[in-house]
Amino acid sequence: MGGRKDAGIRIPKDNIVSMLVKSFGFPIATTSANISGKPSSRKVSEALKYFKGKVDLILDGGECKVGKESSVIDMQKFPYVIVRKGCVPGHELLECLQKKDRLKAGQT
């Protein structure tokens, strides 16, 4: 991710991508539709400007309705840190992760 030595996990809301992942039966390694630090692509024509000739496949699911980058949370140490605010409010993501940690620890 942007020259970093870590990885990101995405859970797509898009039905086409979700069906593709389910049909493979395992996660897919892919890039975002932008170059780190550049605006996200909302249309396939914009993604082609970044990636034409650099990737094997660009899946055209139509124009992105959200137009905002994904949220990024650094989970390498606790407390977790919001690295980039995205569509889902960061506090909601952190609450969900903290609830998961409490359940894992056997707390309620």
Side-chain angles (χ1 to χ4, degrees), residues 11 14 19 26 32 42 52 56 77 79 91 95 104 108:
I11 302 171
D14 183 87
M19 287 188 309
F26 51 83
S32 301
R42 295 192 62 197
K52 189 172 185 175
D56 295 326
K77 56 186 176 239
H91 71 276
E95 286 172 14
K104 188 174 167 183
T108 54

Side-chain angles (χ1 to χ4, degrees), residues 9-70:
I9 299 170
R10 288 177 189 253
I11 302 171
K13 185 176 182 180
D14 183 87
N15 290 334
I16 295 171
V17 176
S18 295
M19 287 188 309
L20 184 64
V21 171
K22 284 179 185 176
S23 72
F24 285 154
F26 51 83
I28 299 172
T30 183
T31 182
S32 301
N34 68 313
I35 303 296
S36 183
K38 303 280 185 181
S40 291
S41 304
R42 295 192 62 197
K43 302 177 194 174
V44 74
S45 60
E46 295 169 354
L48 283 168
K49 290 178 186 175
Y50 289 133
F51 297 109
K52 189 172 185 175
K54 297 179 182 177
V55 297
D56 295 326
L57 173 74
I58 295 177
L59 181 65
D60 185 358
E63 185 172 346
C64 178
K65 293 163 183 58
V66 178
K68 191 170 185 179
E69 288 75 16
S70 300

Side-chain angles (χ1 to χ4, degrees), residues 9 68-73 82 84-90 93:
I9 299 170
K68 191 170 185 179
E69 288 75 16
S70 300
S71 302
V72 177
I73 298 176
I82 299 170
R84 182 176 70 199
K85 294 179 182 180
C87 300
V88 178
L93 293 170

